[in-house]
């Protein structure tokens, strides 16, 4: 699709000048700040509230007894006509919130008043090609910089006090279909980013840049056969050689986009990045496992070397991207601590892996209906239902359309991008998921730079009349669904768990909701006026606990949702940051 380009660089209010002076004595964000983000409650300096992205906060003043008194204290509008989907997670440091908005915009906001301090608008070209709305999922903070990716595949570093550009780097060619929508992460002074564009036959990659200078440190392609680089020198072919699991030259446009970004585990010193679907969707054109598509990769943050991989959907024929976040966590079993990592895949299975080596520990369905596989074998490889793979067009009478199958989940996944949370108190994962299926068929296709490269058609359908979205509490040790909340529209926003015994998330109907973490009882809801597809955060300032979430309906569902889109067509777009806290008397009483 073609999106109209936007004008313009940076707008700075007079408040920004005052902020620059006020912040001159304040500490910049360090590697230690990022590593300790989950424990330091006065700020949120990383996507996921810590490098492991557990999205758990030790704050407890807002709890099951006090949450009913939660009140909005300010709302900040992104303004103008640039609305669409708002999937950002805000960050907070030294009294300032940094949040992205649609069309590659960044805002700095005074968290006491909700007033704008500065705004940056990327100068986007007219012919950008994002597959799934003009969203952005957030910034990274490091030193005195605010760093984010743009829809024309650039990485931009801004001064945190003024919003002025410090450095800007082109990560990939947007004319070939590349873009960036995920929040980058910072590890050991390097800002690390993936790329979007799997529907255009791009080659996925993970890259590390010096956070202060923007100089490229290493690049690691995520399709077997492409050369990696470290400090400008060749650093080994991904997978060792070309085409081992790909036929012919298809590896040259193999997809495997790293479009959701990654997490980092300090215990093992490993980055965890997921990879998207192989290109094209028509799997009959590319026999084999098609590494490293639809996989989780463990990457050395110093060199870009792939240390281990786990492929959730080998020879993917349904667009079951493996990008969903891999979250490091520990649990006790047989008197020993297991260093694990968990992910809820688009294909409908929940996986628990040994994060030191990628070995499969266990896996189980987390959605009610899976039709493409019977289950997982002892190594976690899917046991396919062969008749539920879309048919080969060359076997059709007209040679143009293969046989149609009904596949569940739909290609939008049992869980899509929306991040789950892990509670260190309950030991449960809280998974935003959806119950839907699709009619899917294959068609002939050929690669052309910058053009859609699918070779498939589809229609998404709800499985149930009463609900599509399901928020689930899942025990990763047993596979038990402890509780669920069913929602009429699909769930598309992230989840936050707190030591206050609460789980926060939002829905397309516009409600910020809080649930009892143990029972699933809804304790609170507030109508924000537009659908929530962002991720909530919490922090503490001046002895009070704050909660913020971005509201603004959009994303992939209304664009790709088929029959599902009819269920949400009445929902209004928007673009507002909502911030809440308890009244002072309740905050005092909760201490």
């Amino acid at each position: 699709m073609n999106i109209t380009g936007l004008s313009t660089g940076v707008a700075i209010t007079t408040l920004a000048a005052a902020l620059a002076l006020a912040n001159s004595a304040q500490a910049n964000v360090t590697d230690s700040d990022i590593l300790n983000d989950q424990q330091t409650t006065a700020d949120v300096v990383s996507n996921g509230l810590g490098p492991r992205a557990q999205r758990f906060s030790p704050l407890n003043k807002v709890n099951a007894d006090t949450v009913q008194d939660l009140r909005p204290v300010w709302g900040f509008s992104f303004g103008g006509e640039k609305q669409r989907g708002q999937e950002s997670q805000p960050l907070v440091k030294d009294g300032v919130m940094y949040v992205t908005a649609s069309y590659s915009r960044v805002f700095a906001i005074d968290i006491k008043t909700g007033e704008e301090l500065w705004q940056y608008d990327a100068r986007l070209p007219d012919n950008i090609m994002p597959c799934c709305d003009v969203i952005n999922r957030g910034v990274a903070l490091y030193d005195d910089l605010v760093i984010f990716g743009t829809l024309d595949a650039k990485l931009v570093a801004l001064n945190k006090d003024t919003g002025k550009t410090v450095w800007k780097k082109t990560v990939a060619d947007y004319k070939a279909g590349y873009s960036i929508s995920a929040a980058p992460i910072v590890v050991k002074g390097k800002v690390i980013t993936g790329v979007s564009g799997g529907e255009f036959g791009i080659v996925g990659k993970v890259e590390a840049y010096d956070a202060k200078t923007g100089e490229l440190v290493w690049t690691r392609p995520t399709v077997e056969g492409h050369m990696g680089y470290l400090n400008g020198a060749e650093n080994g072919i991904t997978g060792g050689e070309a085409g081992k699991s790909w036929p012919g030259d298809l590896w040259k446009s193999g997809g495997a986009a790293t479009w959701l970004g990654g997490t980092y585990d300090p215990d093992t010193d490993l980055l965890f990045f997921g990879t998207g679907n192989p290109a094209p969707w028509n799997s009959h054109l590319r026999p084999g496992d098609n590494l490293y598509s639809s996989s989780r990769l463990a990457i050395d943050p110093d060199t870009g070397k792939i240390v281990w991989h786990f492929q959730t959907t080998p020879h993917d024929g349904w667009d079951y991207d493996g990008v969903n976040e891999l979250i490091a966590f520990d649990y006790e079993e047989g008197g020993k601590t297991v260093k694990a990592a968990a992910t809820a895949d688009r294909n409908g299975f929940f996986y628990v892996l040994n994060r030191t080596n990628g070995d499969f520990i266990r896996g189980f369905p987390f959605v009610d209906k899976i039709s493409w596989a019977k289950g997982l074998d002892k190594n976690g490889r899917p046991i396919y239902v062969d008749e539920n793979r879309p048919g080969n067009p060359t076997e059709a009478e007209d040679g143009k359309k293969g046989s149609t199958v009904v596949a569940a989940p739909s290609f939008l996944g049992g869980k899509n991008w929306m991040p789950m949370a892990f509670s260190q108190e309950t030991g449960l994962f809280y998974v935003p998921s959806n119950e839907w299926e699709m009619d899917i068929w294959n068609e002939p296709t050929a690669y052309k730079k910058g053009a859609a490269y699918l070779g498939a058609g589809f229609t998404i359908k709800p499985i149930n009349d009463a609900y599509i979205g399901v928020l689930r509490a899942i025990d990763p040790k047993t596979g038990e669904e402890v509780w669920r909340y069913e929602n009429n529209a699909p769930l598309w926003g992230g989840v936050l768990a707190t030591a206050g015994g609460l789980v926060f998330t939002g829905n397309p109907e516009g409600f910020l909701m809080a649930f009892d973490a143990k029972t699933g009882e809804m304790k609170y809801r507030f109508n924000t006026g537009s659908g929530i597809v962002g991720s909530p955060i919490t922090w503490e300032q001046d002895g009070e606990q704050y909660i913020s979430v971005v509201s603004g309906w959009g994303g992939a569902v209304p664009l790709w949702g088929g029959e599902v889109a009819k269920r949400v067509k009445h929902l209004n777009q928007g673009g507002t940051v909502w911030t809440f806290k308890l009244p002072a008397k309740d905050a005092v009483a909760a201490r």
Side-chain angles (χ1 to χ4, degrees):
M1 79 184 65
N2 290 328
I3 305 295
T4 302
L6 300 172
S7 60
T8 193
V10 74
I12 306 170
T13 71
T14 54
L15 285 172
L19 176 69
L21 292 173
N23 280 357
S24 61
Q26 293 176 338
N28 294 331
V29 175
T30 66
D31 292 293
S32 178
D33 291 335
I34 295 169
L35 290 176
N36 295 316
D37 194 23
Q38 191 169 53
Q39 290 76 40
T40 55
T41 57
D43 54 30
V44 178
V45 296
S46 62
N47 193 274
L49 283 75
R52 295 181 180 88
Q54 292 182 348
R55 298 183 182 273
F56 174 79
S57 171
L59 290 171
N60 61 10
K61 290 179 180 177
V62 178
N63 54 51
D65 295 326
T66 62
V67 69
Q68 67 268 20
D69 293 323
L70 201 63
R71 300 286 190 271
V73 291
W74 54 260
F76 176 86
S77 173
F78 294 140
E81 299 178 356
K82 303 172 187 177
Q83 295 187 5
R84 308 285 288 271
Q86 310 293 350
E87 294 186 1
S88 183
Q89 180 217 290
L91 299 186
V92 171
K93 181 71 168 76
D94 292 334
V96 181
M97 176 181 289
Y98 304 95
V99 60
T100 59
S102 55
Y103 294 100
S104 303
R105 293 175 290 162
V106 184
F107 295 84
I109 305 167
D110 185 317
I111 62 174
K112 288 188 176 180
T113 65
E115 295 178 83
E116 179 181 305
L117 301 172
W118 54 257
Q119 174 182 343
Y120 176 90
D121 285 33
R123 295 184 176 93
L124 296 176
D126 290 341
N127 53 343
I128 56 173
M129 294 179 287
C131 88
C132 306
D133 207 358
V134 289
I135 58 93
N136 188 283
R137 298 189 176 103
V139 304
L141 300 180
Y142 191 72
D143 196 46
D144 62 349
L145 300 175
V146 179
I147 306 167
F148 81 114
T150 68
L151 289 171
D152 58 344
K154 290 183 172 64
L155 205 57
V156 182
L158 309 173
N159 180 277
K160 69 178 179 63
D161 298 328
T162 66
K164 292 182 177 179
T165 302
V166 176
W167 56 258
K168 182 187 297 185
K169 298 293 178 179
T170 297
V171 175
D173 180 8
Y174 77 89
K175 294 180 181 178
Y178 287 91
S179 59
I180 300 176
S181 53
I185 61 173
V186 176
V187 175
K188 299 181 182 180
K190 293 183 283 291
V191 57
I192 299 165
T193 184
V195 293
S196 303
E199 271 57 69
F200 298 96
I202 56 90
V203 173
K205 61 180 179 177
V206 181
E207 290 191 333
Y209 294 79
D210 185 293
K212 291 186 179 181
T213 67
E215 293 304 308
L216 180 64
V217 179
W218 56 257
T219 182
R220 174 52 52 192
T222 53
V223 176
E224 178 185 85
H226 295 268
M227 180 63 72
Y229 293 87
L230 174 64
N231 296 320
E234 291 185 352
N235 190 33
I237 294 173
T238 298
E241 61 184 272
K244 288 193 295 184
S245 62
W246 292 83
D249 288 339
L250 282 176
W251 60 277
K252 295 181 179 179
S253 53
T258 48
W259 57 264
L260 193 52
T263 62
Y264 173 68
D265 174 41
D267 290 347
T268 58
D269 191 24
L270 291 173
L271 294 164
F272 299 136
F273 268 77
T275 63
N277 58 283
W281 287 19
N282 182 348
S283 62
H284 299 282
L285 293 172
R286 43 172 177 76
D289 282 356
N290 312 135
L291 292 172
Y292 289 96
S293 67
S294 299
S295 299
R296 303 309 190 281
L297 306 181
I299 299 174
D300 184 328
D302 298 320
T303 66
K305 174 187 175 183
I306 296 176
V307 177
W308 57 256
H309 78 277
F310 183 87
Q311 191 170 36
T312 47
T313 314
H315 195 213
D316 183 359
W318 303 267
D319 188 37
Y320 290 149
D321 294 38
V323 297
N324 289 358
E325 69 281 5
L326 185 64
I327 297 177
F329 74 108
D330 295 338
Y331 67 90
E332 299 297 320
E333 188 169 76
K336 296 182 179 180
T337 298
V338 178
K339 291 188 176 300
T343 189
D345 199 83
R346 279 197 17 193
N347 67 20
F349 289 99
F350 191 102
Y351 298 82
V352 180
L353 308 178
N354 182 322
R355 70 179 186 264
T356 67
N357 56 22
D359 286 352
F360 176 71
I361 296 176
R362 69 182 62 88
F364 43 84
F366 69 93
V367 294
D368 296 336
K369 183 175 181 180
I370 297 176
S371 68
W372 65 278
K374 300 175 185 177
L376 304 174
D377 69 15
K378 64 179 182 179
N379 297 313
R381 190 178 179 92
I383 304 168
Y384 293 106
V385 179
D386 291 334
E387 59 269 28
N388 277 344
R389 181 179 292 271
N392 190 343
T394 63
E395 298 175 358
E397 291 186 9
D398 60 4
K400 295 181 179 180
K401 182 178 178 181
S403 58
T404 299
V405 301
V406 178
S410 80
F411 76 88
L412 289 178
K415 175 185 171 300
N416 199 278
W417 84 275
M418 55 279 193
M420 62 186 182
F422 173 73
S423 170
Q424 296 180 2
E425 300 225 326
T426 66
L428 302 177
F429 280 89
Y430 301 95
V431 184
S433 63
N434 291 300
E435 295 289 339
W436 43 22
E437 60 190 9
M438 62 181 172
D439 294 331
I440 183 170
W441 59 91
N442 285 326
E443 302 167 345
T445 190
Y447 174 75
K448 181 180 178 182
K449 179 180 176 180
Y453 188 40
L454 300 184
F458 49 83
T459 301
I460 299 178
K461 305 178 291 185
I463 294 175
N464 307 288
D465 291 334
Y467 64 92
I468 298 175
V470 184
L471 177 65
R472 292 173 156 97
I474 293 177
D475 187 333
K477 296 195 291 184
T478 65
E480 177 191 3
E481 181 186 281
V482 177
W483 57 260
R484 65 158 65 187
Y485 166 78
E486 296 172 353
N487 195 77
N488 179 60
L491 293 180
W492 210 251
V495 181
L496 169 71
T498 75
L502 296 173
V503 175
F504 289 89
T505 194
N507 63 11
E509 290 88 341
F511 289 96
L512 173 67
M513 303 174 290
F515 301 87
D516 186 292
K518 292 181 179 179
T519 68
E521 178 186 356
M522 186 183 291
K523 294 290 187 178
Y524 177 82
R525 70 175 196 161
F526 176 87
N527 191 340
T528 66
S530 183
I532 295 175
V533 293
S535 298
I537 63 167
T538 188
W539 77 95
E540 188 174 38
Q541 179 165 320
D542 300 327
E544 295 184 290
Q545 183 180 350
Y546 289 78
I547 291 166
S548 281
V549 70
V550 177
S551 169
W553 170 238
V557 174
L559 296 177
W560 296 83
E563 294 182 20
V564 170
K566 298 176 184 177
R567 192 174 291 197
V568 297
K569 66 180 181 180
H570 64 286
L571 300 178
N572 294 320
Q573 292 186 359
T576 302
V577 185
W578 285 91
T579 296
F580 304 80
K581 72 177 184 68
L582 297 173
K585 63 180 180 64
D586 291 330
V588 171
R591 291 175 184 169

